[in-house]
Amino acid sequence: MCSIIGYTGEDDAAPILVKGLRRMEYRGYDSVGVATESENQIELKKGVGKVEEVNTKFHLEKLPGKIGIGHTRWATHGKVTDLNAHPHPSNSGKIAIVHNGIIENFTELKQELEKEGYKFQSETDSEIIANLLQKHFQDSKDVKETMLKTTAELKGHYSFIAMFENGELAAARFHEPLIIGVGEKNYFLSSDVLGFIEQTDDAVYINNGNFVLINQAKLQIFDFDGNVIKPEITKVSKEFADVYKGDYAHFTLKEISEQSDTIFRAGESTKEALKEAVDYLRHSKNIYLTGSGTSYNASLVAKYLLAKYAKIKTESIISSELQFSPDLIEPNSILVAISQSGESADVLEAVNIAKKSNCKIISIINSLTSSLARESDIVIGMNCGPEIGVAATKSFTSQLIILYKIIQELNEEIKINFEEISSSISKILEEHNLIKKIASELKEISDIYVLGRGIHYPIAIESALKIKELTYIHAEGIAGGELKHGPLALMDTNVFVIIINPEDSTYQDTLTSAREIKARGAKIIGISDKNSDAYDFWVKIPKTDELTYPISETIPIQLLSYYAALEKETDPDYPRNLAKSVTVK
Ligand code: F6R
């Protein structure tokens, strides 16, 4: 989604804002802008493109002043154009705002403002915030009063930062993230700690329904009724400062390659929470699992494995679907919410619904200071470090490792060899050349299917998601047995099919599917510990415990998606139209 940032202090604001925006670009990335205040004047530059492009074109870093705001956009209302980029000035030019989220009643508010003579330059919902602030500030000449009146009128999900021409900053949070970085002689406002982590690790997490005023180095926080809120400073984990690509060409490749290490960290900082969660899972009658995208796919793996190895029945529900079927949830149950960012609006909404039915919330999260962490009863940390590549890679395997640890606690006969998993990952990662060669075959292909049975079916779904995101090639996960019930009609010489086929109880049936597909002329990539003449290409995975195959088979498909993205000249770190943390519904 969009990211917002603000700065006030003793240093020049613009270079600090641009650096913060570069760090947060993964959240959304179709346009960029910065506004600064100098000598009671607001200067503003913005345009379509990535931070680097827009900075080179408009010299954002050169804007004068020690106070400023900035934004990277992921379009929701209005096309990707220079005018729709943020910051948005108010009609008088005396206030500028940056906004993340959606203003649901913007049409009504816009019509009212237009009747009063306000003009609008952009198609965005955000611009109304600037003009509402102007209207209320003209009446009251008081920023606190202005923020109270403005937040009372806005409906939806938002966080915004407003800069007034006297240099005062005001910011509000309503169901979108907003964090203050507290430096020695400066303050930062940001959607993510990455916006300021290089400058300070002291942060104040703004509560939902609160707003902030910063004027001449004085920080005040209020709730939307105007009551004073005492700031509570938290230390941010330095681990989150590790957001460099190092020698890797892309974050995605770095994050794929880190997995032989990150699997050792999953759940480690929250061991007690994991034990507590296991206790709840053991004693609860109804357990639901939820997440979006890759995190939902991890919940599908969890459903299979908990049933098979811990005899615990669960129901996986796509987070965004729960609002349409809240009756699926029995009161007083457990909801396990899985989310890398902990900020996905759909997941937060699912949690909200479950809480209304008095459910306990166990969450599996990478960002332990996220909104989801604060909404949960028990939080288990993935601890895989910042994941910057928009497509989830290492967070998925960390989610699976946490699941294995839970299963190990639930069933004492299961002993998982984490060293073995790590060495399997390392061995597969050595296969770059083979995987690059296969990727080069995919360049002109328009459809890829991924087939698996049993526990390998959710991995097929996850693999198809990775291929779609990174390469823009249409891809679909198929449950092996379903082939004859429809997808076989699609098999011809233009198609590639990835067969997930380790030598376990699914092996023979899946090999039969591979032969049926091959007979129709499609090319087969076999992911297996055993070669077969049915495969045109064989990617060998080491033989492991049946339980841990899902991790081994995920790695080559992540790598294949990455190299196919390079072949197709797409940007693997920032796929078009996507955002890392989807904070709108
Ligand atoms: C897939 C991907 C997305 C996310 C989804 C949920 O590669 O990145 O599908 O998995 O947006 O995000 P989190 O886990 O942050 O809730």
Side-chain angles (χ1 to χ4, degrees), residues 292-295 338-344 347 390-392 399 462 465-466 469 579-580 582:
S292 303
T294 291
S295 298
I338 309 178
S339 172
Q340 187 282 131
S341 61
E343 298 294 350
S344 293
V347 180
V390 166
Q399 290 162 357
E462 167 58 14
L465 178 60
K466 224 65 328 150
E469 286 176 297
K580 183 71 186 162
V582 185

Side-chain angles (χ1 to χ4, degrees), residues 9-53:
E10 294 194 343
D11 297 315
D12 286 340
I16 292 174
L17 294 170
V18 170
K19 195 170 189 183
L21 290 174
R22 274 194 201 109
R23 290 289 194 117
M24 292 198 292
E25 197 170 31
Y26 73 98
R27 293 172 59 86
Y29 37 82
D30 56 47
S31 6
V32 181
V34 167
T36 54
E37 180 277 336
S38 168
E39 297 179 1
N40 290 332
Q41 289 251 321
I42 290 179
E43 288 208 37
L44 188 157
K45 298 239 160 95
K46 58 184 183 175
V48 170
K50 291 194 175 163
V51 178
E52 231 32 82
E53 292 165 57

Side-chain angles (χ1 to χ4, degrees), residues 483-501:
L483 184 67
K484 295 191 287 290
H485 299 287
L488 202 54
L490 301 166
M491 300 303 153
D492 62 24
T493 49
N494 300 317
V495 164
F496 261 74
V497 183
I498 300 174
I499 302 282
I500 303 182
N501 199 19

Side-chain angles (χ1 to χ4, degrees), residues 135-173:
K135 174 180 150 177
H136 296 310
F137 190 66
Q138 272 168 1
D139 292 346
S140 66
K141 300 281 180 285
D142 178 77
V143 177
K144 180 181 171 194
E145 195 65 30
T146 301
M147 288 295 279
L148 282 171
K149 286 192 172 147
T150 303
T151 51
E153 284 187 76
L154 297 175
K155 293 204 172 81
H157 287 225
Y158 58 82
S159 57
F160 69 83
I161 309 173
M163 181 171 66
F164 291 74
E165 68 168 4
N166 65 357
E168 190 158 358
L169 291 181
R173 166 166 194 229

